[in-house]
Amino acid sequence: MILFPKKLSSFEVVKKSREDFKHIDIKDFDIDNVPVVYIQRDKKNLYVGKSTDVYGRFSAHLKDPKKTFTEIVIIKSTLFNESSIKHIETLLIDHLMADEKYHLLNIIKGQNIHSYNGNEEVNNIFIKIWERLIEEGIASEPLKDIHNKFIYKYSPFKSLSDNQIEVCQGTLHTMLTKSESQSLITGDPGTGKTIVLTNILYALVYDQKTGKQREGLNREEVALVIPQNHSLGSYKDLVRKVGLHGITVLSPSQFIKKAQGRENKFKYVFVDEAHRLKQYFSKQARDLKHLITPGGHTTELELIARYSYHLTIVYDQYQTIRPADIDTSHFKQLITDYTKYILHKQYRLKSGNHHLAWLRKYLQIANDVAVYEKDVLIDYDFKVMNSISELYDSITKLNQKYELCRVVAGYSWKWATQKDKDLYDITDPTTGEGYKWNSKTKGWLNQKNSVEEIGCIHTTQGADLNYIGVVFGEEIDCDYAGEEDGSYDLNKANIIVYPEKYKDRNGLPIKGTDVNNEELKTYIKHIYYVLLSRGINGCYVYATHPNMQKYLQEVVKLSQL
């Protein structure tokens, strides 16, 4: 007879007080010497732990002056084992920190979770555990709301892949064993570049073996540089809430100004989204004065490196979108001597592993990786819509179900609502419906009325959404409409751009310098690459030019055969 193992489908909650653990000679044998996960609580704080000897563990907690807990919630099951309690502990630390009802005292991250027998069962039962914690007043927000929060997505408490762990450990080891270092972390959108960066930063401050702040580390010597102004506030909030307060979080120009006023370099500097670091561009001269030198101009990367003993940057060469962003070829020259780390697997998009290479191929950005068309959109909701209105209405309905679903567009419409809020910026050429650009840039994605507006590239780069709707504007087209017999050859299609239709004044190269509009075409294609790679569950698209719309339809048709 074959006995099938029981599935982990239920758990028990046992509530205790601090007094219950003060008398070690009186034990509850239902929780003694069995695998459990526990949550300590007082009026303001929580602490999450796991143990197979909970009474022994609590004898240490009672001696810790920081542990002022009065109540203990213990989660147990007859089917718990070492792997499952490690997993649940990690999930609780990650989610309770993002819930923010209580201050989480944990400073050592949960275990990195590898595949094991029962992994999915724990993920499923955690949904029920979280619901119980809401009932107990320990948690407050539903899981779907937690998962949409910036602090959850990019917290240093995330479990990492083997590749991500290797990058973290390699970079950290270099910083701790050398007097100076320069490290570059690269990878496609969704490979976890930001999560890796926050993990390195956290492990630099807190020794993960002892749980104590690293000896000799001065937080004032650590800086996090964020080129995306719309994200700066979110990073400041994240750093404060995960216990990294005291670390400097600044834009590149703010960092350079602060560094120039110091006697010594910053010891540790981290730069996220380094592809948005600036070079001098005369159209934005007022904002780029800090790049002017006696001999000409420099770049933000060179200045930041000058004021750093240890510099770690993350970079994606396909996300430069303006002439003021450091030119890709020049950037590569500047990082020649950097120690390079590559993140290989993307985790954002619920699609095939070749999705991003597929996007680059058909946006005609790069064709350097073989793309297996058949499975590229498997389990991913990618649709070509028939109008802006249909796309907008679909994303609005998805937002009601999933939240954090937004419509964005290429920058090919004037921003009329900046001067008159009663006007519309974008008109659907099919239905005549009017729509408005984003009313703000900073924090737009989480603004209540953002679902009613259409965002530009400057609201979304570096973010991820549950669904995204992307409108291909009037500045981008395809010069091929298909054959007379109705057949279509994708190899004959060529993406073209119309400079006169592109309305980002600071996105246009200096007149007369861009031969055949090749530089502008690169920026515009990069913009759509960034926009199209934001949606976790799906992406809906529509193109205002019929030839571009036909091109998108044929690309999707080929990928769904």
Side-chain angles (χ1 to χ4, degrees):
M1 182 175 68
I2 299 175
L3 294 177
F4 292 93
K6 291 183 179 179
K7 285 189 174 183
L8 177 58
S9 59
S10 63
F11 63 94
E12 297 176 57
V13 169
V14 178
K15 291 194 279 189
K16 297 286 183 181
S17 70
R18 188 184 186 94
E19 296 299 316
D20 292 326
F21 291 95
K22 284 186 175 180
H23 306 287
I24 199 73
D25 53 323
I26 303 174
K27 295 184 179 181
D28 181 346
F29 292 102
D30 285 339
I31 61 172
D32 187 34
N33 293 321
V34 298
V36 299
V37 182
Y38 59 86
I39 302 171
Q40 299 172 358
R41 169 165 66 163
D42 60 25
K43 289 183 178 180
K44 296 182 179 179
N45 305 301
L46 293 179
Y47 180 83
V48 179
K50 60 172 176 57
S51 181
T52 54
D53 177 20
V54 71
Y55 282 95
R57 185 79 180 98
F58 269 66
S59 65
H61 284 314
L62 289 169
K63 297 174 184 177
D64 187 344
K66 294 180 182 178
K67 307 282 175 55
T68 59
F69 62 92
T70 55
E71 182 184 14
I72 305 96
V73 173
I74 296 170
I75 303 166
K76 64 183 287 284
S77 169
T78 56
L79 296 178
F80 277 176
N81 54 35
E82 279 283 359
S83 295
S84 56
I85 62 172
K86 285 179 182 178
H87 192 174
I88 293 170
E89 179 196 40
T90 297
L91 290 171
L92 285 172
I93 290 172
D94 203 15
H95 287 79
L96 287 169
M97 185 199 64
D99 184 73
E100 300 180 81
K101 181 174 182 179
Y102 286 87
H103 171 62
L104 194 68
L105 293 176
N106 292 77
I107 57 175
I108 296 180
K109 300 183 290 181
Q111 303 286 325
N112 286 302
I113 305 304
H114 301 278
S115 180
Y116 66 92
N117 186 22
N119 187 307
E120 283 305 311
E121 292 173 20
V122 167
N123 286 327
N124 291 333
I125 203 172
F126 183 75
I127 297 171
K128 297 178 182 178
I129 291 173
W130 189 259
E131 290 171 352
R132 180 63 183 272
L133 294 182
I134 291 177
E135 291 176 12
E136 296 291 340
I138 292 173
S140 61
E141 298 186 72
L143 285 176
K144 72 169 187 174
D145 293 344
I146 294 289
H147 294 166
N148 285 332
K149 297 175 76 169
F150 185 93
I151 192 171
Y152 172 79
K153 292 176 179 178
Y154 302 112
S155 86
F157 292 90
K158 276 280 178 295
S159 180
L160 303 180
S161 70
D162 289 343
N163 176 213
Q164 291 171 335
I165 292 170
E166 288 174 5
V167 173
C168 287
Q169 291 178 342
T171 309
L172 184 63
H173 177 74
T174 300
M175 288 191 292
L176 295 176
T177 57
K178 294 185 177 182
S179 58
E180 295 190 42
S181 67
Q182 293 178 324
S183 300
L184 171 77
I185 300 171
T186 63
D188 284 343
T191 51
K193 296 186 294 296
T194 298
I195 291 172
V196 165
L197 197 68
T198 59
N199 267 269
I200 298 169
L201 179 58
Y202 195 86
L204 172 67
V205 175
Y206 292 108
D207 187 319
Q208 292 301 289
K209 291 182 179 179
T210 66
K212 297 179 181 179
Q213 179 168 310
R214 198 170 294 280
E215 189 174 346
L217 183 118
N218 180 356
R219 296 191 189 195
E220 293 183 356
E221 296 295 315
V222 183
L224 175 60
V225 180
I226 308 299
Q228 303 277 56
N229 280 331
H230 69 264
S231 301
L232 189 58
S234 297
Y235 280 91
K236 288 181 178 180
D237 196 42
L238 172 67
V239 163
R240 178 177 58 83
K241 288 177 178 176
V242 301
L244 295 175
H245 42 276
I247 288 174
T248 302
V249 183
L250 297 169
S251 70
S253 60
Q254 289 169 340
F255 170 82
I256 292 164
K257 183 177 180 180
K258 187 177 183 69
Q260 289 171 337
R262 289 166 52 100
E263 290 184 7
N264 300 312
K265 299 179 183 180
F266 278 86
K267 190 166 186 181
Y268 304 103
V269 179
F270 302 83
V271 182
D272 199 8
E273 308 276 351
H275 35 267
R276 297 309 315 277
L277 291 176
K278 299 293 183 279
Q279 62 187 8
Y280 188 78
F281 180 55
S282 59
K283 281 189 179 181
Q284 293 180 257
R286 186 178 62 179
D287 299 323
L288 301 175
K289 291 178 181 178
H290 58 291
L291 300 182
I292 299 174
T293 66
H297 310 118
T298 186
T299 67
E300 287 182 335
L301 178 58
E302 290 169 282
L303 288 175
I304 291 170
R306 182 184 302 171
Y307 300 118
S308 312
Y309 284 109
H310 297 278
L311 175 61
T312 302
I313 67 175
V314 299
Y315 177 70
D316 181 351
Q317 65 175 324
Y318 300 118
Q319 292 200 53
T320 54
I321 60 169
R322 271 178 162 182
D325 297 341
I326 300 174
D327 178 76
T328 302
S329 59
H330 186 39
F331 200 104
K332 288 181 177 179
Q333 291 175 358
L334 295 176
I335 58 173
T336 300
D337 296 328
Y338 281 50
T339 302
K340 298 173 179 64
Y341 301 90
I342 301 174
L343 296 170
H344 298 289
K345 185 176 180 180
Q346 76 86 14
Y347 297 92
R348 176 186 292 151
L349 309 178
K350 293 182 179 178
S351 56
N353 289 331
H354 293 274
H355 188 122
L356 295 167
W358 174 76
L359 285 178
R360 291 194 292 270
K361 176 179 179 179
Y362 287 110
L363 284 171
Q364 298 175 2
I365 293 173
N367 197 15
D368 54 352
V369 176
V371 179
Y372 301 95
E373 314 279 354
K374 186 177 179 181
D375 295 330
V376 76
L377 294 178
I378 191 168
D379 298 325
Y380 193 72
D381 188 7
F382 195 104
K383 294 179 181 176
V384 181
M385 312 306 280
N386 295 313
S387 65
I388 296 177
S389 299
E390 183 185 21
L391 182 149
Y392 177 89
D393 291 343
S394 298
I395 295 297
T396 301
K397 289 177 182 177
L398 288 166
N399 187 69
Q400 293 170 357
K401 182 177 180 180
Y402 298 102
E403 298 185 351
L404 209 57
C405 304
R406 300 291 182 267
V407 178
V408 294
Y411 211 149
S412 65
W413 290 273
K414 290 182 179 179
W415 204 338
T417 51
Q418 277 189 322
K419 295 181 179 179
D420 188 343
K421 301 297 183 185
D422 294 328
L423 297 176
Y424 291 103
D425 300 299
I426 299 170
T427 302
D428 187 332
T430 303
T431 67
E433 288 290 320
Y435 301 92
K436 297 184 179 184
W437 276 124
N438 47 280
S439 52
K440 61 183 293 186
T441 301
K442 292 183 180 179
W444 176 78
L445 288 175
N446 296 307
Q447 184 179 297
K448 283 186 177 180
N449 68 329
S450 59
V451 72
E452 301 168 6
E453 301 172 342
I454 294 180
C456 68
I457 179 63
H458 306 302
T459 64
T460 51
Q461 191 168 20
D464 56 356
L465 304 169
N466 290 322
Y467 274 85
I468 192 161
V470 180
V471 180
F472 283 71
E474 297 174 355
E475 86 287 19
I476 188 168
D477 197 4
C478 177
D479 64 2
Y480 177 65
E483 305 299 327
E484 291 183 5
D485 62 0
S487 62
Y488 199 95
D489 185 351
L490 285 168
N491 293 319
K492 292 184 178 180
N494 183 45
I495 291 177
I496 57 176
V497 298
Y498 303 117
E500 69 278 7
K501 296 289 187 180
Y502 190 57
K503 304 304 180 184
D504 186 353
R505 184 177 61 86
N506 292 327
L508 290 165
I510 300 296
K511 193 172 183 179
T513 65
D514 187 13
V515 179
N516 297 324
N517 300 317
E518 288 302 315
E519 184 182 351
L520 177 62
K521 187 191 296 185
T522 296
Y523 296 139
I524 289 175
K525 290 192 292 188
H526 281 188
I527 286 170
Y528 284 103
Y529 175 65
V530 172
L531 297 178
L532 291 165
S533 60
R534 300 299 101 188
I536 296 170
N537 301 306
C539 176
Y540 294 179
V541 300
Y542 169 77
T544 54
H545 285 294
N547 284 2
M548 191 68 196
Q549 177 79 345
K550 178 68 174 175
Y551 178 67
L552 294 173
Q553 290 168 341
E554 293 297 326
V555 167
V556 173
K557 186 189 298 182
L558 178 64
S559 302
Q560 293 176 337
L561 291 177

